[in-house]
Amino acid sequence: MDIITQKLIKSESYTKAEIEAFGCEYIKETTITMYYRKENYLYIFNAKPDKNCKYKLLTIDIDN
């Protein structure tokens, strides 16, 4: 597994281990989305994994 050191990229897919290795903290999960936070960034992922157990990053929101 490659450790992500720079940033997560919108529309790419990541395993939960990769997301947590990036330093993101799990917030909550709904039926369609998962929420993770790192500093002032909120990462919103698709809650349904693909066949490789990866979750697609739907959007990144920045707190001002």
Side-chain angles (χ1 to χ4, degrees):
M1 170 177 67
D2 294 331
I3 295 178
I4 302 158
T5 56
Q6 298 298 322
K7 62 181 178 176
L8 298 178
I9 301 169
K10 184 178 168 187
S11 299
E12 293 292 322
S13 296
Y14 304 94
T15 65
K16 284 187 178 184
E18 290 172 326
I19 297 166
E20 292 171 0
F22 180 66
C24 291
E25 177 185 348
Y26 175 81
I27 302 297
K28 71 175 183 176
E29 185 172 337
T30 67
T31 55
I32 57 173
T33 55
M34 281 191 319
Y35 297 85
Y36 280 86
R37 177 171 293 287
K38 181 177 180 184
E39 298 168 358
N40 62 334
Y41 293 93
L42 180 66
Y43 297 94
I44 303 171
F45 293 87
N46 188 345
K48 305 288 186 212
D50 63 13
K51 62 183 176 185
N52 297 319
C53 295
K54 291 189 173 191
Y55 299 86
K56 184 175 182 179
L57 179 54
L58 301 173
T59 191
I60 302 169
D61 190 30
I62 302 169
D63 294 341
N64 292 325

